[in-house]
Amino acid sequence: CIYRAKYNHDVGYFDPPVKIEPKDVIIIEGLHAFYTQKSQELIDLKIFVDTQEDLRTHWKIIRDTEKRGYK
């Protein structure tokens, strides 16, 4: 069986792991997809999309001010 923990951007933490049924192909996406050593070892193919720094900063500012209530 497979347990996955999803990063919750609204609160800034991982949600508790949930059990999912294994499939022939599993797609793992997100900023923390390769975070743990175990996940790095288990993934056969890794694709990383490197967005521009100013765009990432813009997304983070919007997320932090609109969703997390930061100033």
Side-chain angles (χ1 to χ4, degrees), residues 7-37:
Y7 187 78
N8 185 330
H9 287 277
D10 292 335
V11 297
Y13 301 103
F14 283 96
D15 289 335
V18 294
K19 182 180 177 182
I20 59 172
E21 295 299 319
K23 305 290 183 192
D24 291 336
V25 175
I26 299 172
I27 297 174
I28 303 170
E29 56 87 18
L31 293 173
H32 303 285
F34 314 135
Y35 183 74
T36 66
Q37 182 67 33

Side-chain angles (χ1 to χ4, degrees), residues 53-63:
E53 178 66 29
D54 58 338
L55 182 56
R56 288 194 313 264
T57 301
H58 175 72
W59 288 340
K60 289 177 184 180
I61 290 170
I62 290 173
R63 178 201 64 205

